[in-house]
Amino acid sequence: MLITGLGHAGLFIETRAGSVLCDPWVNPAFFGSWFPFPDNTDLDWAHYGQAADHLYVSHLHRDHFDPENLRQNVRKDITVLLPGFVTDELESELRALGFSRFLRTRNSVPVERDGLRIMITALSGPGDGPIGDSALSLDDGETVLLNQNDAHPLSIPAIREFGEVDAYFAQFSGAIWYPMVYQLPYTAKGKLAARKRQGQFDRAVRYIDEVQAKHVYPNAGPPCFLDEALFDTNGTGLDGESIFVDQREFLEQLAEARPNVSAHLLLPGTVVDPREAAGEPNQRYSTEEIDHIFNNKREYLTKFAQRQQHTLAAERNSRAAALPQERLLAELKGWWEPLMARAEQICAGIGGPVRLDVDDVAVVLDFPAREVRLWDGEPCRYTLGVAGDLVATNIARREVDWSNSLLLSMRFTASRIGPYNEFLYVFLKCLSPERIDYVENYYASIDEESEDIEIDGWRVQQFCPHLGADLAKFGTIEDGKLTCAMHGWNYDLSTGRCLTADGHDIRATPLA
């Protein structure tokens, strides 16, 4: 097995039983905000798209699903390895691009195709929208590969049962807008970002410990930001207020925490042969070029941005014009009020009005009343500020997942009073009847009588109320507070109250 890194989560995997093209992303995503880091635009995308026997798109987030690249460069008679998601949105999007051959898989159930064993672990939870995420396991008889993408939590026992992993392409870098978009004092934002970066690292190390792969290759991130308005968000920011740790920074931190882990730098065009004892990639770049990318990152990104100015201008020109107040309100009311009417548990979880400032128009999303209206001066725990052309474009395109367009772009501002409310962001990811119905059923079907486990003198429910991480593996208790290392969520065990967000309390009793 030979694996070529294509940038971000992209891989081209060659085996004796055929080749697989994974998440080929090159065009900017999220309103022109995200670009792959380092630059991968000079790769021979037509070669990979024509040579591959199988296509695997892990999920619909646009740093993984690049419709323009798929349309232009990937042959349409390729066999698509389709995760077993609960909705058909990914298949529908691929069919719209001309793909027609699909190998449908079931969650964590291996299948064999011409001597290649394949297993896709599909995740479906409200935190990522109903379409979830997925991870790919491959076995060609000599090498077992795990491509995690952004998928967590994973069922590690199922992964290990598939086979002892030789090459683990591990997700390590953040893909979120927090805390960068929040209107906070500069020092507070820096502290929150540092905590977020540490949480991301701890989660990645937990997976590395659990998977026990022969070789580890940090993958699926980070993005870079070439628009002048977002440029200072690159990396960890000007003074630590951002969360995007790069590959080399992660490897240096991992070497200190786990010196015995065989971990390697994967860059666009790098070729890996996991059968080699050392697992070292055949780097496309010289040592001097690699040092320039990471040690002179600002200079490298400035030149990258200069090369991409035409792309950024084209994206800006593609946006719809901002809507006048009456039209804006009518569009949102006609679209969102029917969704609110069927979102009983989401609206109850939000529990109050949310203010949406679209340029100088203040709109209130009144979830208790299931109404969209102009703001009347009432206090709102959440306020989001967005440019009118971005909202108009989402309306024109009927974007059903504003996380996959607006929120991840970081082209908005946010403020809140009190804890994080996941239900608000779930609503903004589920702007279709199908998605709302799925999430409502998901929340309604949570089994309150699930099994309990014992951790450090406490009996707690086994799975985290947030996204179902196994607390036997990811839970730690200190001073009566449980922390789930999967996403850093905290719980006060004496009361069961979630300290991170509303509406996710945990079941817990002391053993003594």
Side-chain angles (χ1 to χ4, degrees), residues 88-198:
D88 62 359
E89 291 171 281
L90 177 58
E91 179 179 351
S92 296
E93 292 284 353
L94 290 168
R95 285 191 180 278
L97 293 173
F99 297 99
S100 59
R101 299 179 62 180
F102 294 88
L103 176 60
R104 294 174 177 82
T105 64
R106 291 187 293 155
N107 182 27
S108 298
V109 177
V111 297
E112 185 169 324
R113 183 73 174 232
D114 301 326
L116 182 65
R117 289 179 64 238
I118 302 163
M119 184 177 77
I120 298 178
T121 304
L123 309 181
S124 296
D128 286 323
I131 58 170
D133 206 323
S134 66
L136 175 69
S137 298
L138 295 176
D139 176 12
D140 68 350
E142 292 183 344
T143 303
V144 174
L145 172 148
L146 171 59
N147 179 17
Q148 183 178 8
N149 304 293
D150 297 339
H152 45 75
L154 280 177
S155 174
I156 300 301
I159 298 292
R160 295 293 304 277
E161 186 176 344
F162 182 83
E164 297 296 319
V165 177
D166 298 293
Y168 174 26
F169 295 84
Q171 200 268 359
F172 74 99
S173 182
I176 195 65
W177 50 87
Y178 173 85
M180 289 77 71
V181 303
Y182 277 83
Q183 297 177 313
L184 295 165
Y186 193 76
T187 54
K189 188 178 292 189
K191 291 178 181 178
L192 292 171
R195 189 183 306 166
K196 183 70 174 176
R197 293 194 301 269
Q198 186 61 46

Side-chain angles (χ1 to χ4, degrees), residues 31-47:
F31 286 118
S33 294
W34 286 37
F35 289 76
F37 174 80
D39 183 7
N40 65 354
T41 55
D42 61 344
L43 295 180
D44 189 348
W45 290 104
H47 163 71

Side-chain angles (χ1 to χ4, degrees), residues 343-365:
E344 186 69 29
Q345 299 200 59
I346 292 175
C347 289
I350 297 172
V354 172
R355 180 173 156 186
L356 178 64
D357 291 345
V358 184
D359 289 338
D360 58 353
V361 179
V363 175
V364 162
L365 314 177

Side-chain angles (χ1 to χ4, degrees), residues 368-429:
R370 314 293 199 268
E371 182 183 12
V372 179
R373 54 178 170 79
L374 294 178
W375 182 53
D376 194 29
E378 70 268 47
C380 298
R381 281 186 52 198
Y382 259 90
T383 300
L384 307 179
V386 191
D389 61 339
L390 302 185
V391 173
T393 302
N394 271 356
I395 290 173
R397 296 173 181 172
R398 264 312 186 262
E399 291 280 1
V400 300
D401 182 348
W402 283 30
S403 171
N404 199 18
S405 56
L406 173 64
L407 301 181
L408 283 169
S409 78
M410 297 195 300
R411 298 183 187 274
F412 75 106
T413 61
S415 62
R416 72 174 190 246
I417 300 171
Y420 168 72
N421 190 301
E422 183 183 52
F423 294 97
L424 170 59
Y425 289 109
V426 166
F427 178 79
L428 293 173
K429 297 173 185 179

Side-chain angles (χ1 to χ4, degrees), residues 76-324:
K76 300 306 177 288
D77 61 345
I78 198 170
T79 298
V80 178
L81 307 179
L82 195 66
F85 290 138
V86 296
T87 74
D88 62 359
E89 291 171 281
L90 177 58
E91 179 179 351
S92 296
E93 292 284 353
L94 290 168
R95 285 191 180 278
L97 293 173
F99 297 99
S100 59
R101 299 179 62 180
F102 294 88
L103 176 60
R104 294 174 177 82
T105 64
R106 291 187 293 155
N107 182 27
S108 298
V109 177
V111 297
E112 185 169 324
R113 183 73 174 232
D114 301 326
L116 182 65
R117 289 179 64 238
I118 302 163
M119 184 177 77
I120 298 178
T121 304
L123 309 181
S124 296
D128 286 323
I131 58 170
D133 206 323
S134 66
L136 175 69
S137 298
L138 295 176
D139 176 12
D140 68 350
E142 292 183 344
T143 303
V144 174
L145 172 148
L146 171 59
N147 179 17
Q148 183 178 8
N149 304 293
D150 297 339
H152 45 75
L154 280 177
S155 174
I156 300 301
I159 298 292
R160 295 293 304 277
E161 186 176 344
F162 182 83
E164 297 296 319
V165 177
D166 298 293
Y168 174 26
F169 295 84
Q171 200 268 359
F172 74 99
S173 182
I176 195 65
W177 50 87
Y178 173 85
M180 289 77 71
V181 303
Y182 277 83
Q183 297 177 313
L184 295 165
Y186 193 76
T187 54
K189 188 178 292 189
K191 291 178 181 178
L192 292 171
R195 189 183 306 166
K196 183 70 174 176
R197 293 194 301 269
Q198 186 61 46
Q200 292 169 174
F201 177 78
D202 292 343
R203 180 177 64 204
V205 170
R206 289 287 186 104
Y207 275 123
I208 289 169
D209 290 344
E210 290 288 329
V211 173
Q212 298 181 20
K214 183 178 179 182
H215 302 295
V216 174
Y217 303 90
N219 204 37
C224 63
F225 306 90
L226 305 184
D227 190 323
E228 183 178 358
L230 297 169
F231 195 82
D232 289 341
T233 310
N234 279 302
T236 58
L238 292 177
D239 195 25
E241 73 282 1
S242 194
I243 64 167
F244 300 102
V245 175
D246 68 36
Q247 296 92 325
R248 178 176 276 186
E249 289 167 337
F250 176 80
L251 286 168
E252 290 173 352
Q253 191 175 2
L254 180 64
E256 292 185 11
R258 297 292 188 273
N260 295 326
V261 170
S262 175
H264 311 279
L265 180 65
L266 186 75
L267 297 176
T270 295
V271 180
V272 172
D273 185 348
R275 295 169 299 180
E276 296 182 358
E280 283 290 343
N282 180 12
Q283 292 289 358
R284 177 190 181 205
Y285 303 91
S286 68
T287 300
E288 292 75 17
E289 289 172 322
I290 294 173
D291 286 342
H292 176 69
I293 291 171
F294 293 101
N295 296 344
N296 303 95
K297 187 185 297 183
R298 194 170 184 88
E299 178 184 344
Y300 174 84
L301 291 176
T302 297
K303 292 181 178 179
F304 188 6
Q306 292 170 353
R307 298 193 297 272
Q308 292 296 321
Q309 287 305 305
H310 66 289
T311 303
L312 289 166
E315 189 283 321
R316 287 192 295 269
N317 292 334
S318 72
R319 299 176 192 170
L323 299 173

